[in-house]
Amino acid sequence: MFTLEIDGVAIAVINGTEEIARDLFTCDGFKDDIQTMKSDGKVLWNGTSELKIRAASEDETEIFEDALAEDDSEEDEPFEPDAHHAKASNDDEEEEGDEEDDADIVFLVDIDEDAGLDS
């Protein structure tokens, strides 16, 4: 597992290879998202700070595993992907293959509810 760190703050953890982590954490769509998403009223990334990708710590790995376990236990209804993201995901798969299908991302910071991606 690998962690995205910005300005000394662990932002997110991904399960996958380092190559997958680098690809996902540095792709234009993800960078756009983290410039829009906020935690405690502050954007996650200012667009210029280094996006540091490093091996996840034991604590970060535990948080990741707990979050996935909690997500699985709360899954009452079948997952229905957002049409916009599903199309983008399908386009990416056609170009890059299926290697990213197995990667999950868990944010380690609380994301502000009112700072949605569509704002």
Side-chain angles (χ1 to χ4, degrees), residues 35-109:
Q35 284 184 354
T36 304
M37 298 168 75
K38 294 182 179 181
S39 180
D40 292 329
K42 182 180 175 191
V43 293
L44 298 183
W45 184 50
N46 61 16
T48 59
S49 293
E50 176 188 7
L51 299 176
K52 180 179 179 183
I53 293 138
R54 59 167 173 78
S57 70
E58 286 184 35
D59 288 343
E60 293 162 349
T61 299
E62 186 176 327
I63 291 167
F64 178 93
E65 290 170 349
D66 289 349
L68 283 191
E70 182 179 317
D71 188 46
D72 286 344
S73 69
E74 292 178 0
E75 204 170 280
D76 295 332
E77 299 178 21
F79 175 71
E80 294 184 26
D82 176 67
H84 171 75
H85 289 96
K87 170 143 178 42
S89 177
N90 288 338
D91 290 346
D92 290 345
E93 285 176 13
E94 291 171 10
E95 295 172 12
E96 300 174 17
D98 294 329
E99 68 183 86
E100 294 180 43
D101 285 350
D102 295 334
D104 296 298
I105 297 174
V106 171
F107 282 89
L108 299 170
V109 294

